[in-house]
DNA sequence: AAACAATAGTTGCAAAAATCAATTATTGTT
DNA sequence: AACAATAATTGATTTTTGCAACTATTGTTT
């Protein structure tokens, strides 16, 4: 296990990723007057509209009861639509309103601005390698972590 | 700005890092009967012993009042030593007890086991590149400050 | 078709945690 | 000596979380 010591460094880097990114998300969310979890909801709904609450909870690794209340707030704020699914009325169908879309866009730009600054610190000729490596890690992570449920009943 | 679309993918990957890693940390902490923040405290104290509460709060991007209570619990659990600093008695000096060290080790192994599984999904001949890239990203992240806020979306 | 089980979502409630101001103790400064 | 500044804690209020109970709808069994 000569590589094992390297995992210590890898963990350290990941820990920093998490901390810095968490900090960023907090900033972006606060600018929009919402919580971090709510910004994740907007993000996920932007990517996968018309998802159910249950599937969203699985994606975000959170409890349905907490999520239900967070969504409730976003509905009250006018940022999320929540309608019963006509095909199976136990489900709800969640989507972004125009305003929700706007906030989601704002946060996305916020994050991407930060990332562009990060990459400006990396020599241009290494960018491609970084992108590739991140993709490699993404697929490796996905095949290691517990899988999320997909295929929502509607849509 | 031609690279901008790539940042979307980068954000996506980072978001997954954060989510999966957060999940992991929750698991490791729960195994030890402590909260996630408390596991971070143990981690940081393992790396930088004899730190003050204030400096720890800065490292963890958290409030001193919350942190004080979390530390208080860890002291009660017998995992953290908290002594007034003889050089400046406004400060406290935090460090791990033997039991705290043990928990910190357990969590570290937990994480490293996971990471070794992740890397087992990556072809051996790419490991070196991944390690290198992570280091590159680490230094880039560290030398990047949080972005200045633009004006938040209306409403 | 009626009865029963299973599922999605919501709500109630108690515990945990975050937040912000006030307080104490110590050190630095004028 | 008096005052300002800092580290840490504590109080009090509000948020958030977690678990269980509950409602409504759909699937299944007989």
């Amino acid at each position: 296990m000569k590589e094992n010591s390297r995992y210590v460094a890898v963990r350290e880097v990941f820990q920093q990723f998490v901390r810095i990114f968490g900090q960023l998300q907090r900033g972006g969310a606060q600018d929009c007057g919402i919580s971090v979890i709510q910004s994740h909801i907007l993000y996920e709904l932007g990517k996968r509209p018309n998802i159910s609450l249950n599937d969203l909870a699985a994606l975000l690794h959170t409890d349905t009861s907490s999520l239900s209340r967070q969504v409730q707030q976003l509905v009250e704020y006018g940022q999320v639509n929540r309608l019963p699914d006509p095909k199976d009325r136990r489900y709800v169908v969640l989507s972004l309103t125009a305003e929700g879309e706007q906030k989601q866009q704002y946060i996305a730009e916020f994050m991407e601005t930060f990332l562009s600054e990060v990459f400006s610190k990396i020599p241009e000729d290494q960018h491609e390698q970084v992108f590739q490596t991140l993709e490699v890690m993404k697929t490796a992570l996905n095949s290691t972590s517990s899988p999320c449920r997909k295929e929502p009943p509607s849509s």
Short mmCIF file of all heavy atoms in Angstrom, two decimals, chain C residues 1-25:
data_model
loop_
_atom_site.label_atom_id
_atom_site.label_comp_id
_atom_site.label_asym_id
_atom_site.label_seq_id
_atom_site.Cartn_x
_atom_site.Cartn_y
_atom_site.Cartn_z
P DA C 1 -66.42 -3.11 -10.01
OP1 DA C 1 -67.63 -2.33 -9.96
OP2 DA C 1 -65.08 -2.56 -9.80
"O5'" DA C 1 -66.58 -4.39 -9.05
"C5'" DA C 1 -67.79 -4.60 -8.35
"C4'" DA C 1 -67.45 -4.93 -6.91
"O4'" DA C 1 -66.36 -5.90 -6.90
"C3'" DA C 1 -66.99 -3.74 -6.08
"O3'" DA C 1 -67.48 -3.93 -4.76
"C2'" DA C 1 -65.48 -3.85 -6.13
"C1'" DA C 1 -65.26 -5.36 -6.15
N9 DA C 1 -64.04 -5.81 -6.83
C8 DA C 1 -63.53 -5.35 -8.01
N7 DA C 1 -62.44 -5.96 -8.38
C5 DA C 1 -62.20 -6.88 -7.36
C6 DA C 1 -61.20 -7.83 -7.14
N6 DA C 1 -60.18 -8.03 -7.99
N1 DA C 1 -61.28 -8.57 -6.02
C2 DA C 1 -62.31 -8.38 -5.18
N3 DA C 1 -63.31 -7.53 -5.28
C4 DA C 1 -63.19 -6.79 -6.40
P DA C 2 -67.46 -2.83 -3.70
OP1 DA C 2 -68.82 -2.59 -3.17
OP2 DA C 2 -66.65 -1.72 -4.23
"O5'" DA C 2 -66.62 -3.58 -2.57
"C5'" DA C 2 -67.08 -4.84 -2.08
"C4'" DA C 2 -66.11 -5.33 -1.02
"O4'" DA C 2 -64.91 -5.80 -1.66
"C3'" DA C 2 -65.69 -4.28 -0.01
"O3'" DA C 2 -65.55 -4.88 1.27
"C2'" DA C 2 -64.36 -3.77 -0.56
"C1'" DA C 2 -63.80 -5.03 -1.23
N9 DA C 2 -62.98 -4.77 -2.43
C8 DA C 2 -63.18 -3.80 -3.37
N7 DA C 2 -62.29 -3.82 -4.34
C5 DA C 2 -61.46 -4.88 -4.00
C6 DA C 2 -60.33 -5.44 -4.63
N6 DA C 2 -59.82 -4.98 -5.77
N1 DA C 2 -59.75 -6.49 -4.03
C2 DA C 2 -60.26 -6.96 -2.89
N3 DA C 2 -61.33 -6.54 -2.21
C4 DA C 2 -61.88 -5.48 -2.84
P DA C 3 -65.01 -4.06 2.51
OP1 DA C 3 -65.79 -4.45 3.70
OP2 DA C 3 -64.90 -2.65 2.11
"O5'" DA C 3 -63.55 -4.68 2.66
"C5'" DA C 3 -63.38 -6.09 2.68
"C4'" DA C 3 -61.90 -6.41 2.83
"O4'" DA C 3 -61.23 -6.17 1.56
"C3'" DA C 3 -61.17 -5.55 3.87
"O3'" DA C 3 -60.31 -6.38 4.63
"C2'" DA C 3 -60.42 -4.52 3.04
"C1'" DA C 3 -60.13 -5.30 1.76
N9 DA C 3 -60.01 -4.46 0.56
C8 DA C 3 -60.79 -3.39 0.21
N7 DA C 3 -60.45 -2.84 -0.94
C5 DA C 3 -59.39 -3.62 -1.38
C6 DA C 3 -58.59 -3.57 -2.53
N6 DA C 3 -58.73 -2.67 -3.49
N1 DA C 3 -57.61 -4.50 -2.65
C2 DA C 3 -57.46 -5.41 -1.68
N3 DA C 3 -58.16 -5.57 -0.55
C4 DA C 3 -59.11 -4.62 -0.46
P DC C 4 -59.46 -5.76 5.84
OP1 DC C 4 -59.45 -6.75 6.92
OP2 DC C 4 -59.92 -4.38 6.07
"O5'" DC C 4 -57.99 -5.70 5.22
"C5'" DC C 4 -57.44 -6.86 4.60
"C4'" DC C 4 -56.18 -6.48 3.85
"O4'" DC C 4 -56.52 -5.73 2.66
"C3'" DC C 4 -55.23 -5.60 4.65
"O3'" DC C 4 -53.97 -6.25 4.79
"C2'" DC C 4 -55.14 -4.30 3.86
"C1'" DC C 4 -55.53 -4.75 2.46
N1 DC C 4 -56.11 -3.68 1.63
C2 DC C 4 -55.57 -3.42 0.36
O2 DC C 4 -54.62 -4.10 -0.03
N3 DC C 4 -56.09 -2.42 -0.40
C4 DC C 4 -57.13 -1.70 0.06
N4 DC C 4 -57.61 -0.74 -0.72
C5 DC C 4 -57.69 -1.95 1.35
C6 DC C 4 -57.16 -2.94 2.09
P DA C 5 -52.80 -5.55 5.63
OP1 DA C 5 -52.19 -6.57 6.51
OP2 DA C 5 -53.31 -4.29 6.20
"O5'" DA C 5 -51.75 -5.20 4.48
"C5'" DA C 5 -51.45 -6.17 3.48
"C4'" DA C 5 -50.56 -5.55 2.42
"O4'" DA C 5 -51.33 -4.63 1.60
"C3'" DA C 5 -49.39 -4.74 2.99
"O3'" DA C 5 -48.24 -4.99 2.20
"C2'" DA C 5 -49.86 -3.30 2.87
"C1'" DA C 5 -50.73 -3.35 1.62
N9 DA C 5 -51.81 -2.37 1.60
C8 DA C 5 -52.75 -2.13 2.56
N7 DA C 5 -53.61 -1.19 2.24
C5 DA C 5 -53.21 -0.77 0.98
C6 DA C 5 -53.71 0.19 0.10
N6 DA C 5 -54.77 0.95 0.36
N1 DA C 5 -53.07 0.35 -1.07
C2 DA C 5 -52.01 -0.42 -1.34
N3 DA C 5 -51.45 -1.37 -0.59
C4 DA C 5 -52.11 -1.50 0.57
P DA C 6 -46.84 -4.31 2.61
OP1 DA C 6 -45.76 -5.28 2.34
OP2 DA C 6 -46.98 -3.69 3.94
"O5'" DA C 6 -46.71 -3.14 1.53
"C5'" DA C 6 -46.89 -3.44 0.15
"C4'" DA C 6 -46.72 -2.17 -0.67
"O4'" DA C 6 -47.92 -1.37 -0.59
"C3'" DA C 6 -45.57 -1.28 -0.18
"O3'" DA C 6 -44.84 -0.82 -1.32
"C2'" DA C 6 -46.28 -0.13 0.53
"C1'" DA C 6 -47.57 -0.04 -0.26
N9 DA C 6 -48.70 0.53 0.47
C8 DA C 6 -49.12 0.23 1.73
N7 DA C 6 -50.19 0.91 2.11
C5 DA C 6 -50.47 1.71 1.01
C6 DA C 6 -51.49 2.65 0.78
N6 DA C 6 -52.43 2.96 1.66
N1 DA C 6 -51.49 3.27 -0.42
C2 DA C 6 -50.55 2.95 -1.32
N3 DA C 6 -49.56 2.07 -1.21
C4 DA C 6 -49.58 1.48 -0.01
P DT C 7 -43.47 0.00 -1.09
OP1 DT C 7 -42.47 -0.51 -2.05
OP2 DT C 7 -43.17 0.08 0.35
"O5'" DT C 7 -43.91 1.45 -1.57
"C5'" DT C 7 -44.49 1.60 -2.85
"C4'" DT C 7 -44.98 3.01 -3.04
"O4'" DT C 7 -46.18 3.21 -2.25
"C3'" DT C 7 -43.98 4.07 -2.56
"O3'" DT C 7 -43.77 5.01 -3.61
"C2'" DT C 7 -44.66 4.72 -1.37
"C1'" DT C 7 -46.13 4.48 -1.67
N1 DT C 7 -47.00 4.46 -0.48
C2 DT C 7 -48.13 5.24 -0.49
O2 DT C 7 -48.46 5.92 -1.45
N3 DT C 7 -48.88 5.18 0.66
C4 DT C 7 -48.61 4.43 1.78
O4 DT C 7 -49.36 4.46 2.75
C5 DT C 7 -47.40 3.65 1.73
C7 DT C 7 -47.01 2.81 2.91
C6 DT C 7 -46.67 3.70 0.62
P DA C 8 -42.69 6.20 -3.43
OP1 DA C 8 -41.95 6.32 -4.70
OP2 DA C 8 -41.97 6.00 -2.16
"O5'" DA C 8 -43.63 7.46 -3.28
"C5'" DA C 8 -44.49 7.80 -4.35
"C4'" DA C 8 -45.10 9.18 -4.13
"O4'" DA C 8 -46.08 9.07 -3.07
"C3'" DA C 8 -44.11 10.24 -3.68
"O3'" DA C 8 -44.41 11.47 -4.35
"C2'" DA C 8 -44.30 10.34 -2.18
"C1'" DA C 8 -45.75 9.91 -1.98
N9 DA C 8 -45.98 9.13 -0.76
C8 DA C 8 -45.20 8.13 -0.27
N7 DA C 8 -45.66 7.59 0.85
C5 DA C 8 -46.83 8.29 1.08
C6 DA C 8 -47.80 8.21 2.11
N6 DA C 8 -47.73 7.35 3.12
N1 DA C 8 -48.84 9.07 2.04
C2 DA C 8 -48.91 9.93 1.02
N3 DA C 8 -48.07 10.10 0.00
C4 DA C 8 -47.04 9.24 0.10
P DG C 9 -43.47 12.74 -4.11
OP1 DG C 9 -43.57 13.60 -5.28
OP2 DG C 9 -42.15 12.28 -3.64
"O5'" DG C 9 -44.22 13.47 -2.91
"C5'" DG C 9 -45.55 13.93 -3.14
"C4'" DG C 9 -46.18 14.31 -1.83
"O4'" DG C 9 -46.20 13.18 -0.95
"C3'" DG C 9 -45.44 15.41 -1.06
"O3'" DG C 9 -46.20 16.60 -1.16
"C2'" DG C 9 -45.36 14.88 0.37
"C1'" DG C 9 -46.27 13.66 0.36
N9 DG C 9 -45.87 12.59 1.26
C8 DG C 9 -44.74 11.80 1.16
N7 DG C 9 -44.66 10.91 2.12
C5 DG C 9 -45.79 11.13 2.89
C6 DG C 9 -46.24 10.47 4.06
O6 DG C 9 -45.70 9.54 4.67
N1 DG C 9 -47.44 11.01 4.53
C2 DG C 9 -48.12 12.05 3.93
N2 DG C 9 -49.26 12.44 4.50
N3 DG C 9 -47.71 12.67 2.83
C4 DG C 9 -46.54 12.17 2.37
P DT C 10 -45.66 17.93 -0.42
OP1 DT C 10 -46.20 19.09 -1.15
OP2 DT C 10 -44.21 17.79 -0.23
"O5'" DT C 10 -46.38 17.87 1.00
"C5'" DT C 10 -47.80 17.73 1.06
"C4'" DT C 10 -48.26 17.56 2.49
"O4'" DT C 10 -47.74 16.32 3.01
"C3'" DT C 10 -47.81 18.66 3.45
"O3'" DT C 10 -48.97 19.27 4.01
"C2'" DT C 10 -46.95 17.93 4.48
"C1'" DT C 10 -47.46 16.50 4.36
N1 DT C 10 -46.48 15.45 4.72
C2 DT C 10 -46.72 14.66 5.82
O2 DT C 10 -47.71 14.80 6.51
N3 DT C 10 -45.77 13.70 6.05
C4 DT C 10 -44.62 13.46 5.32
O4 DT C 10 -43.84 12.58 5.63
C5 DT C 10 -44.42 14.32 4.19
C7 DT C 10 -43.22 14.14 3.32
C6 DT C 10 -45.35 15.26 3.94
P DT C 11 -48.80 20.52 4.94
OP1 DT C 11 -50.04 21.31 4.82
OP2 DT C 11 -47.49 21.13 4.66
"O5'" DT C 11 -48.76 19.88 6.40
"C5'" DT C 11 -49.87 19.11 6.85
"C4'" DT C 11 -49.59 18.56 8.24
"O4'" DT C 11 -48.60 17.52 8.17
"C3'" DT C 11 -49.08 19.59 9.26
"O3'" DT C 11 -49.82 19.45 10.45
"C2'" DT C 11 -47.62 19.21 9.44
"C1'" DT C 11 -47.68 17.71 9.22
N1 DT C 11 -46.41 17.06 8.80
C2 DT C 11 -46.01 15.92 9.44
O2 DT C 11 -46.64 15.41 10.34
N3 DT C 11 -44.83 15.40 8.97
C4 DT C 11 -44.03 15.88 7.96
O4 DT C 11 -43.01 15.32 7.63
C5 DT C 11 -44.51 17.08 7.33
C7 DT C 11 -43.73 17.70 6.22
C6 DT C 11 -45.65 17.61 7.78
P DG C 12 -49.72 20.57 11.59
OP1 DG C 12 -51.07 21.15 11.73
OP2 DG C 12 -48.58 21.45 11.29
"O5'" DG C 12 -49.38 19.72 12.90
"C5'" DG C 12 -49.43 18.30 12.86
"C4'" DG C 12 -48.94 17.71 14.17
"O4'" DG C 12 -47.77 16.90 13.93
"C3'" DG C 12 -48.51 18.72 15.22
"O3'" DG C 12 -48.68 18.14 16.50
"C2'" DG C 12 -47.05 18.94 14.88
"C1'" DG C 12 -46.61 17.53 14.45
N9 DG C 12 -45.59 17.51 13.41
C8 DG C 12 -45.47 18.36 12.34
N7 DG C 12 -44.46 18.08 11.56
C5 DG C 12 -43.87 16.97 12.15
C6 DG C 12 -42.75 16.22 11.76
O6 DG C 12 -42.00 16.38 10.79
N1 DG C 12 -42.50 15.17 12.65
C2 DG C 12 -43.25 14.89 13.76
N2 DG C 12 -42.87 13.85 14.49
N3 DG C 12 -44.32 15.59 14.14
C4 DG C 12 -44.56 16.61 13.29
P DC C 13 -48.42 19.01 17.80
OP1 DC C 13 -49.42 18.58 18.79
OP2 DC C 13 -48.29 20.44 17.43
"O5'" DC C 13 -47.00 18.48 18.27
"C5'" DC C 13 -46.73 17.08 18.25
"C4'" DC C 13 -45.28 16.83 18.60
"O4'" DC C 13 -44.46 16.85 17.40
"C3'" DC C 13 -44.67 17.88 19.54
"O3'" DC C 13 -43.83 17.23 20.48
"C2'" DC C 13 -43.85 18.75 18.59
"C1'" DC C 13 -43.35 17.69 17.63
N1 DC C 13 -42.88 18.20 16.31
C2 DC C 13 -41.84 17.52 15.67
O2 DC C 13 -41.35 16.53 16.22
N3 DC C 13 -41.40 17.97 14.47
C4 DC C 13 -41.97 19.04 13.91
N4 DC C 13 -41.52 19.44 12.72
C5 DC C 13 -43.04 19.75 14.55
C6 DC C 13 -43.46 19.29 15.74
P DA C 14 -43.60 17.81 21.91
OP1 DA C 14 -44.52 17.10 22.83
OP2 DA C 14 -43.63 19.27 21.82
"O5'" DA C 14 -42.11 17.34 22.25
"C5'" DA C 14 -41.74 15.98 22.04
"C4'" DA C 14 -40.32 15.91 21.53
"O4'" DA C 14 -40.25 16.47 20.18
"C3'" DA C 14 -39.32 16.70 22.37
"O3'" DA C 14 -38.17 15.91 22.61
"C2'" DA C 14 -38.98 17.91 21.49
"C1'" DA C 14 -39.16 17.35 20.09
N9 DA C 14 -39.48 18.36 19.09
C8 DA C 14 -40.42 19.35 19.17
N7 DA C 14 -40.47 20.12 18.10
C5 DA C 14 -39.50 19.60 17.26
C6 DA C 14 -39.06 19.96 15.98
N6 DA C 14 -39.57 20.98 15.29
N1 DA C 14 -38.07 19.21 15.43
C2 DA C 14 -37.56 18.19 16.14
N3 DA C 14 -37.90 17.75 17.34
C4 DA C 14 -38.88 18.50 17.86
P DA C 15 -37.00 16.38 23.58
OP1 DA C 15 -36.84 15.34 24.61
OP2 DA C 15 -37.28 17.78 23.98
"O5'" DA C 15 -35.73 16.37 22.63
"C5'" DA C 15 -35.49 15.24 21.80
"C4'" DA C 15 -34.43 15.59 20.77
"O4'" DA C 15 -34.98 16.51 19.81
"C3'" DA C 15 -33.20 16.27 21.37
"O3'" DA C 15 -32.02 15.69 20.80
"C2'" DA C 15 -33.37 17.74 20.98
"C1'" DA C 15 -34.14 17.63 19.67
N9 DA C 15 -34.99 18.79 19.38
C8 DA C 15 -35.92 19.38 20.19
N7 DA C 15 -36.54 20.40 19.64
C5 DA C 15 -35.98 20.48 18.37
C6 DA C 15 -36.21 21.34 17.29
N6 DA C 15 -37.10 22.35 17.31
N1 DA C 15 -35.49 21.15 16.16
C2 DA C 15 -34.60 20.14 16.14
N3 DA C 15 -34.30 19.26 17.09
C4 DA C 15 -35.03 19.49 18.19
P DA C 16 -30.58 16.19 21.24
OP1 DA C 16 -29.72 15.01 21.33
OP2 DA C 16 -30.73 17.11 22.39
"O5'" DA C 16 -30.11 17.05 19.97
"C5'" DA C 16 -30.13 16.45 18.68
"C4'" DA C 16 -29.71 17.46 17.65
"O4'" DA C 16 -30.75 18.46 17.50
"C3'" DA C 16 -28.42 18.22 18.01
"O3'" DA C 16 -27.53 18.16 16.91
"C2'" DA C 16 -28.90 19.64 18.32
"C1'" DA C 16 -30.18 19.75 17.52
N9 DA C 16 -31.19 20.63 18.10
C8 DA C 16 -31.71 20.59 19.36
N7 DA C 16 -32.63 21.51 19.59
C5 DA C 16 -32.72 22.19 18.39
C6 DA C 16 -33.51 23.28 17.97
N6 DA C 16 -34.38 23.88 18.75
N1 DA C 16 -33.35 23.71 16.70
C2 DA C 16 -32.46 23.08 15.90
N3 DA C 16 -31.66 22.05 16.19
C4 DA C 16 -31.85 21.65 17.46
P DA C 17 -26.10 18.86 17.01
OP1 DA C 17 -25.15 18.07 16.20
OP2 DA C 17 -25.81 19.15 18.42
"O5'" DA C 17 -26.36 20.23 16.25
"C5'" DA C 17 -27.09 20.23 15.04
"C4'" DA C 17 -27.29 21.66 14.57
"O4'" DA C 17 -28.38 22.25 15.31
"C3'" DA C 17 -26.07 22.55 14.77
"O3'" DA C 17 -25.71 23.10 13.52
"C2'" DA C 17 -26.55 23.60 15.78
"C1'" DA C 17 -28.05 23.59 15.59
N9 DA C 17 -28.86 23.97 16.75
C8 DA C 17 -28.83 23.45 18.01
N7 DA C 17 -29.69 23.99 18.84
C5 DA C 17 -30.33 24.95 18.05
C6 DA C 17 -31.35 25.88 18.33
N6 DA C 17 -31.93 26.00 19.52
N1 DA C 17 -31.75 26.68 17.32
C2 DA C 17 -31.17 26.55 16.12
N3 DA C 17 -30.21 25.72 15.74
C4 DA C 17 -29.83 24.94 16.76
P DA C 18 -24.57 24.21 13.37
OP1 DA C 18 -23.86 23.93 12.10
OP2 DA C 18 -23.83 24.29 14.64
"O5'" DA C 18 -25.40 25.55 13.17
"C5'" DA C 18 -26.34 25.60 12.10
"C4'" DA C 18 -26.91 26.99 11.99
"O4'" DA C 18 -27.78 27.25 13.11
"C3'" DA C 18 -25.87 28.11 11.98
"O3'" DA C 18 -26.29 29.12 11.07
"C2'" DA C 18 -25.89 28.60 13.43
"C1'" DA C 18 -27.36 28.40 13.81
N9 DA C 18 -27.59 28.15 15.23
C8 DA C 18 -26.94 27.26 16.03
N7 DA C 18 -27.38 27.24 17.27
C5 DA C 18 -28.40 28.17 17.27
C6 DA C 18 -29.27 28.63 18.28
N6 DA C 18 -29.24 28.17 19.52
N1 DA C 18 -30.17 29.58 17.93
C2 DA C 18 -30.20 30.03 16.67
N3 DA C 18 -29.43 29.68 15.64
C4 DA C 18 -28.54 28.74 16.01
P DT C 19 -25.38 30.43 10.84
OP1 DT C 19 -25.56 30.82 9.44
OP2 DT C 19 -24.04 30.15 11.39
"O5'" DT C 19 -26.08 31.53 11.77
"C5'" DT C 19 -27.50 31.56 11.85
"C4'" DT C 19 -27.94 32.82 12.58
"O4'" DT C 19 -28.27 32.49 13.95
"C3'" DT C 19 -26.89 33.91 12.64
"O3'" DT C 19 -27.52 35.16 12.44
"C2'" DT C 19 -26.32 33.78 14.04
"C1'" DT C 19 -27.54 33.31 14.83
N1 DT C 19 -27.24 32.49 16.04
C2 DT C 19 -28.05 32.66 17.14
O2 DT C 19 -28.97 33.45 17.18
N3 DT C 19 -27.72 31.85 18.21
C4 DT C 19 -26.70 30.92 18.27
O4 DT C 19 -26.51 30.26 19.27
C5 DT C 19 -25.91 30.80 17.08
C7 DT C 19 -24.78 29.82 17.04
C6 DT C 19 -26.21 31.58 16.04
P DC C 20 -26.67 36.46 12.05
OP1 DC C 20 -27.37 37.13 10.94
OP2 DC C 20 -25.26 36.07 11.93
"O5'" DC C 20 -26.84 37.36 13.36
"C5'" DC C 20 -28.15 37.58 13.87
"C4'" DC C 20 -28.07 38.17 15.25
"O4'" DC C 20 -27.86 37.13 16.23
"C3'" DC C 20 -26.92 39.16 15.44
"O3'" DC C 20 -27.39 40.28 16.17
"C2'" DC C 20 -25.90 38.36 16.23
"C1'" DC C 20 -26.82 37.51 17.09
N1 DC C 20 -26.20 36.28 17.66
C2 DC C 20 -26.68 35.76 18.86
O2 DC C 20 -27.61 36.33 19.42
N3 DC C 20 -26.10 34.65 19.37
C4 DC C 20 -25.08 34.07 18.73
N4 DC C 20 -24.55 32.98 19.28
C5 DC C 20 -24.58 34.59 17.50
C6 DC C 20 -25.16 35.68 17.00
P DA C 21 -26.45 41.57 16.39
OP1 DA C 21 -26.97 42.64 15.52
OP2 DA C 21 -25.04 41.17 16.31
"O5'" DA C 21 -26.78 41.93 17.91
"C5'" DA C 21 -28.05 41.57 18.44
"C4'" DA C 21 -27.94 41.35 19.93
"O4'" DA C 21 -27.38 40.05 20.19
"C3'" DA C 21 -27.05 42.37 20.65
"O3'" DA C 21 -27.71 42.85 21.80
"C2'" DA C 21 -25.79 41.58 20.96
"C1'" DA C 21 -26.31 40.16 21.12
N9 DA C 21 -25.34 39.12 20.79
C8 DA C 21 -24.61 38.98 19.65
N7 DA C 21 -23.82 37.94 19.65
C5 DA C 21 -24.05 37.34 20.87
C6 DA C 21 -23.53 36.19 21.48
N6 DA C 21 -22.63 35.40 20.90
N1 DA C 21 -23.98 35.88 22.71
C2 DA C 21 -24.90 36.66 23.29
N3 DA C 21 -25.47 37.76 22.81
C4 DA C 21 -24.99 38.05 21.59
P DA C 22 -27.00 43.98 22.68
OP1 DA C 22 -28.07 44.91 23.10
OP2 DA C 22 -25.82 44.48 21.95
"O5'" DA C 22 -26.50 43.17 23.96
"C5'" DA C 22 -27.43 42.31 24.63
"C4'" DA C 22 -26.70 41.52 25.70
"O4'" DA C 22 -25.87 40.52 25.07
"C3'" DA C 22 -25.78 42.37 26.59
"O3'" DA C 22 -26.01 42.01 27.95
"C2'" DA C 22 -24.37 41.97 26.12
"C1'" DA C 22 -24.59 40.53 25.66
N9 DA C 22 -23.64 40.06 24.66
C8 DA C 22 -23.32 40.64 23.47
N7 DA C 22 -22.43 39.97 22.77
C5 DA C 22 -22.14 38.88 23.55
C6 DA C 22 -21.28 37.78 23.38
N6 DA C 22 -20.51 37.62 22.30
N1 DA C 22 -21.24 36.85 24.36
C2 DA C 22 -22.02 37.02 25.45
N3 DA C 22 -22.88 38.00 25.72
C4 DA C 22 -22.89 38.90 24.73
P DT C 23 -25.14 42.69 29.09
OP1 DT C 23 -26.01 42.75 30.28
OP2 DT C 23 -24.48 43.89 28.55
"O5'" DT C 23 -24.01 41.59 29.38
"C5'" DT C 23 -24.40 40.24 29.66
"C4'" DT C 23 -23.19 39.44 30.10
"O4'" DT C 23 -22.46 39.02 28.91
"C3'" DT C 23 -22.20 40.21 30.97
"O3'" DT C 23 -21.90 39.47 32.13
"C2'" DT C 23 -20.98 40.40 30.07
"C1'" DT C 23 -21.08 39.21 29.14
N1 DT C 23 -20.46 39.42 27.80
C2 DT C 23 -19.58 38.50 27.32
O2 DT C 23 -19.27 37.49 27.95
N3 DT C 23 -19.06 38.79 26.08
C4 DT C 23 -19.32 39.89 25.29
O4 DT C 23 -18.79 40.04 24.21
C5 DT C 23 -20.26 40.83 25.86
C7 DT C 23 -20.61 42.06 25.09
C6 DT C 23 -20.77 40.56 27.07
P DT C 24 -20.90 40.07 33.23
OP1 DT C 24 -21.46 39.73 34.54
OP2 DT C 24 -20.59 41.48 32.86
"O5'" DT C 24 -19.58 39.20 33.01
"C5'" DT C 24 -19.67 37.78 32.96
"C4'" DT C 24 -18.29 37.20 32.69
"O4'" DT C 24 -17.94 37.44 31.31
"C3'" DT C 24 -17.18 37.84 33.54
"O3'" DT C 24 -16.38 36.82 34.11
"C2'" DT C 24 -16.39 38.69 32.53
"C1'" DT C 24 -16.63 37.94 31.23
N1 DT C 24 -16.56 38.76 30.00
C2 DT C 24 -15.81 38.31 28.94
O2 DT C 24 -15.18 37.26 28.98
N3 DT C 24 -15.80 39.13 27.84
C4 DT C 24 -16.47 40.33 27.69
O4 DT C 24 -16.39 40.98 26.65
C5 DT C 24 -17.24 40.75 28.83
C7 DT C 24 -17.99 42.05 28.78
C6 DT C 24 -17.26 39.96 29.91
P DA C 25 -15.26 37.18 35.20
OP1 DA C 25 -15.26 36.13 36.23
OP2 DA C 25 -15.39 38.60 35.56
"O5'" DA C 25 -13.94 37.02 34.33
"C5'" DA C 25 -13.77 35.85 33.54
"C4'" DA C 25 -12.54 36.00 32.67
"O4'" DA C 25 -12.84 36.84 31.54
"C3'" DA C 25 -11.35 36.66 33.40
"O3'" DA C 25 -10.19 35.90 33.16
"C2'" DA C 25 -11.27 38.05 32.78
"C1'" DA C 25 -11.83 37.80 31.38
N9 DA C 25 -12.44 38.97 30.75
C8 DA C 25 -13.32 39.85 31.29
N7 DA C 25 -13.70 40.80 30.47
C5 DA C 25 -13.03 40.51 29.30
C6 DA C 25 -13.01 41.14 28.04
N6 DA C 25 -13.71 42.23 27.75
N1 DA C 25 -12.22 40.59 27.09
C2 DA C 25 -11.51 39.49 27.39
N3 DA C 25 -11.46 38.82 28.54
C4 DA C 25 -12.25 39.38 29.46
#
